[in-house]
Amino acid sequence: MIRFIDVHKSYRVDGRDVPALQPFSLEIADGDVFGIIGHSGAGKSTLLRMINLLERPSGGRVEIDGTDMTALDESALRAQRRRIGMIFQHFNLLATQTVAENVAFPMRLAGVRDASAIRTRVDQLLARVGLSEHAGKYPSQLSGGQKQRVGIARALANQPSILLCDEATSALDPQTTASVLELLAEINRELKLTVVLITHEMDVVRRICDRVAVLDAGRIVEQGAVADVFLHPQHPTTRRFVGEALPEETVSAPLPGVRLGGRILRLSFRGESTWTPVLSRVMRETGVDFNLLAGRIDRIKDLPYGQLTLAMEGAGVDTALAALRAGGIEIEEITPGRSASIEDRA
Amino acid sequence: MIAASPLHSLFPNIDDWGELGQACIDTLLMLAGSLSLTVLIGLPLGVLLYLTGKGQLRAMPALYGLTALLVNILRSIPFIILMIVLMPLTYVLVGTKLGIRGAIPPLVIGAAPFFARLVETALREVQAGVIEASQSMGASTWQIVWHVLLPEARAGIVAGITVTAIALVGYTAMGGAIGAGGLGDLAYRYGYLSYKSDYMVVTVVLLVLLVQALQMIGDRLVVRLARR
């Protein structure tokens, strides 16, 4: 368990304290994939680095499994850091060392002297990230995705219980991003380690995170389970991020001048209800007509979900909504012209 | 001595080629001795300058300021003057002010600060991210210096050694004028004071060859070590 307790951070610039993170408390449970999303400058990089104390909080405590990281002396802190792996946007591999030497590096730093033990572990790690045949190459001979895989293997070398990911996929193309995220999810599942990642892409959060915190100008403005935040974003910043991940909704928003009849409603299906024909049954039974304005069916990590924006007309709308709610569907009413995406575009 | 040799007809004033050969050896010995000591002293000094610099791993403004001042003072004194000023110290250190041994202390004291600055610059070229990554793995400052900074900067450091070696060739020649021996001594005594210009030509050619050789070896090493 990672706990931030009343933590804040400010930097001294030209003799003035410039706040980077407003006081906040946050808990990250063991085994979770926890996403921190925010625009550049929102403070997410600072927040991530306070976990392994690459950045020291200006106040408050950071606890990992009950140990107050801020109270450790230098050598105790180094020992704790060995239990926390970290990967970086620009990989940060040693250019003069081979892939195998890069992966062995944390073990050498930790004082492992047994060369054959190191070799066995390196082989194992390279096999896990799919780079066995590249062991003797230098980083400059690898693609971006391969470099990040070396970074991941290196981060896992000392069997950490936490993996910190600093914009790990931001320098990669979409396909490579997908495969690196898959690898991270697999590692989280199989090694049961806690993953904390920062990103500015909601899609990264949607694909692999269990929980998410949204950072805006040094403040955590929203946090919760990814499905909740994703399907019911509250804060404008969150809505913008979700809007980025759901472009269809913005695209099919009604054009100016088009008058929509009836009531506009957003229906969210999650899990089982995504696959049952609740909507068509209720509409048939209540005689309500609907017009489909926007829709999407996808997955949030392993959870299937659907989100439909409908305009409903007819006398039985209220009865229909009650029946839909009973069928496990979440409903939000959006009056015309006040749809989140339209509002945000204005 | 072979009077009819082609060398003799080309360089009529050079009647003792053995002396010239000895001068070559002296120059090379001075170079080897001073270069190894310069690296031995300048490398840690460069690491110190780097580490204590502003915003670095062990930023210590006072220590950095003091070291930088000392380095700058030594670098601003022309070598020939430094050599004269250091004579009493040289005598204390090696028991003589003359010859190869007498030349080495001022050569090292003149070149080490210069090399230290080159090392500092080479270390600054190492990506901050790589250092941060090592810190995140629990590396100590010493481990970062030994396992990250020096290996990652090795190409730049070797380039610095090459530049320093070539500067030292120049210093040894200057040192020749005030009793250090070597090629500079011959060029000065015979070539300049005795108007035997053939001495001058031969020593200059030999010095050019030496510098060329050093540069070539240095460049090849840098290419091999760069790995980028």
Side-chain angles (χ1 to χ4, degrees):
Chain A
M1 167 95 89
I2 304 168
R3 293 178 71 193
F4 290 88
I5 304 157
D6 297 326
V7 171
H8 64 98
K9 172 79 184 179
S10 48
Y11 292 101
R12 251 191 124 60
V13 182
D14 300 329
R16 283 190 317 123
D17 279 331
V18 179
L21 282 170
Q22 304 291 338
F24 70 99
S25 293
L26 184 69
E27 288 187 0
I28 299 174
D30 288 341
D32 264 3
V33 180
F34 195 99
I36 298 161
I37 189 166
H39 295 291
S40 52
K44 53 192 192 301
S45 171
T46 305
L47 199 161
L48 187 78
R49 281 167 172 71
M50 288 199 293
I51 296 174
N52 58 2
L53 244 66
L54 287 176
E55 295 275 6
R56 196 164 273 278
S58 306
R61 291 209 312 276
V62 180
E63 286 183 1
I64 295 180
D65 298 332
T67 307
D68 182 359
M69 295 291 283
T70 56
L72 299 175
D73 64 24
E74 238 183 277
S75 77
L77 175 61
R78 286 203 301 271
Q80 279 290 324
R81 279 177 176 166
R82 293 196 185 112
R83 319 240 315 109
I84 306 172
M86 188 165 186
I87 60 174
F88 302 85
Q89 179 174 6
H90 298 295
F91 324 122
N92 297 345
L93 303 174
L94 297 169
T96 57
Q97 311 287 312
T98 63
V99 166
E101 287 163 344
N102 266 287
V103 175
F105 187 53
M107 291 183 262
R108 283 171 53 214
L109 288 179
V112 181
R113 292 275 167 273
D114 182 350
S116 75
I118 290 182
R119 205 172 312 121
T120 314
R121 180 89 182 120
V122 168
D123 288 346
Q124 213 177 59
L125 289 162
L126 288 180
R128 171 170 282 284
V129 300
L131 289 177
S132 294
E133 63 275 38
H134 300 286
K137 287 190 180 165
Y138 287 89
S140 59
Q141 297 167 285
L142 303 178
S143 70
Q146 289 171 327
K147 284 182 199 170
Q148 196 54 288
R149 284 167 185 272
V150 178
I152 293 170
R154 179 176 73 173
L156 297 177
N158 283 334
Q159 290 167 314
S161 53
I162 298 170
L163 178 63
L164 308 179
C165 308
D166 176 16
E167 296 272 8
T169 57
S170 299
L172 304 175
D173 62 56
Q175 274 157 334
T176 317
T177 294
S179 77
V180 166
L181 291 178
E182 211 165 285
L183 176 63
L184 289 175
E186 182 188 303
I187 286 165
N188 163 255
R189 240 183 354 256
E190 290 173 13
L191 305 180
K192 310 261 180 279
L193 50 66
T194 311
V195 177
V196 185
L197 63 87
I198 61 173
T199 182
H200 59 269
E201 291 168 305
M202 198 63 189
D203 207 45
V204 170
V205 172
R206 181 181 67 78
R207 281 173 197 242
I208 66 163
C209 291
D210 300 300
R211 298 182 66 80
V212 63
V214 183
L215 262 184
D216 183 50
R219 234 179 268 276
I220 295 179
V221 292
E222 194 161 348
Q223 61 163 307
V226 172
D228 292 331
V229 173
F230 209 79
L231 295 174
H232 306 292
Q234 303 299 318
H235 192 271
T237 302
T238 318
R239 289 193 195 164
R240 262 195 301 277
F241 277 121
V242 172
E244 278 166 23
L246 300 169
E248 297 89 337
E249 192 159 1
T250 324
V251 170
S252 56
L255 292 166
V258 177
R259 239 188 64 81
L260 285 166
R263 292 161 67 180
I264 300 189
L265 301 150
R266 179 153 54 217
L267 276 56
S268 302
F269 306 70
R270 357 180 161 183
E272 278 306 297
S273 68
T274 314
W275 308 125
T276 50
V278 189
L279 180 63
S280 88
R281 179 174 55 76
V282 171
M283 295 294 105
R284 194 172 57 243
E285 286 168 7
T286 55
V288 170
D289 279 320
F290 71 90
N291 190 15
L292 182 58
L293 302 176
R296 179 188 177 101
I297 294 171
D298 208 332
R299 268 167 195 278
I300 295 171
K301 202 172 182 180
D302 301 319
L303 175 81
Y305 78 96
Q307 199 159 48
L308 299 177
T309 307
L310 306 172
M312 287 192 189
E313 278 179 273
V317 172
D318 284 322
T319 326
L321 295 185
L324 288 169
R325 285 199 176 96
I329 294 168
E330 297 152 42
I331 298 166
E332 272 174 284
E333 180 139 13
I334 308 162
T335 30
R338 283 201 51 233
S339 139
S341 51
I342 296 169
E343 189 179 80
D344 284 347
R345 287 171 90 202
Chain B
M1 190 186 26
I2 310 142
S5 78
L7 272 179
H8 188 261
S9 53
L10 253 174
F11 305 108
N13 290 319
I14 304 178
D15 37 36
D16 190 350
W17 286 91
E19 191 185 15
L20 198 68
Q22 187 57 49
C24 273
I25 292 168
D26 286 355
T27 292
L28 287 174
L29 283 176
M30 273 192 281
L31 180 63
S34 59
L35 184 63
S36 34
L37 284 171
T38 296
V39 171
L40 225 56
I41 294 169
L43 195 63
L45 197 59
V47 170
L48 181 75
L49 281 171
Y50 171 82
L51 288 178
T52 58
K54 195 181 166 205
Q56 299 295 351
L57 287 171
R58 284 282 180 268
M60 283 181 261
L63 183 58
Y64 179 82
L66 198 72
T67 318
L69 181 71
L70 184 76
V71 162
N72 290 348
I73 288 172
L74 288 173
R75 285 188 60 195
S76 53
I77 302 171
F79 180 68
I80 193 130
I81 295 168
L82 186 73
M83 205 168 169
I84 297 164
V85 169
L86 286 176
M87 275 183 172
L89 179 69
T90 304
Y91 191 79
V92 170
L93 285 175
V94 294
T96 174
K97 297 172 189 172
L98 300 172
I100 299 171
R101 284 206 313 175
I104 287 186
L107 284 172
V108 174
I109 292 169
F114 171 67
F115 179 60
R117 281 293 192 197
L118 296 179
V119 170
E120 184 194 6
T121 311
L123 294 178
R124 287 206 182 144
E125 293 292 310
V126 177
Q127 261 188 66
V130 177
I131 296 162
E132 190 186 35
S134 322
Q135 283 179 298
S136 80
M137 291 175 225
S140 63
T141 305
W142 168 245
Q143 285 178 317
I144 290 174
V145 169
W146 194 247
H147 295 295
V148 181
L149 287 169
L150 294 178
E152 290 291 291
R154 64 191 187 188
I157 292 171
V158 168
I161 293 176
T162 309
V163 173
T164 307
I166 289 167
L168 276 170
V169 171
Y171 289 176
T172 62
M174 256 187 268
I178 50 173
L183 289 169
D185 177 38
L186 284 195
Y188 180 67
R189 274 194 295 132
Y190 297 152
Y192 178 65
L193 297 179
S194 316
Y195 301 103
K196 294 177 180 170
S197 55
D198 37 5
Y199 266 102
M200 200 60 103
V201 171
V202 172
T203 48
V204 165
V205 168
L206 287 172
L207 288 172
V208 168
L209 286 177
L210 179 57
V211 168
Q212 285 294 333
L214 288 171
Q215 188 68 57
M216 207 178 70
I217 295 167
D219 287 349
R220 292 211 172 159
L221 271 174
V222 168
V223 169
R224 274 189 58 185
L225 295 175
R227 295 261 187 249
R228 278 174 204 266

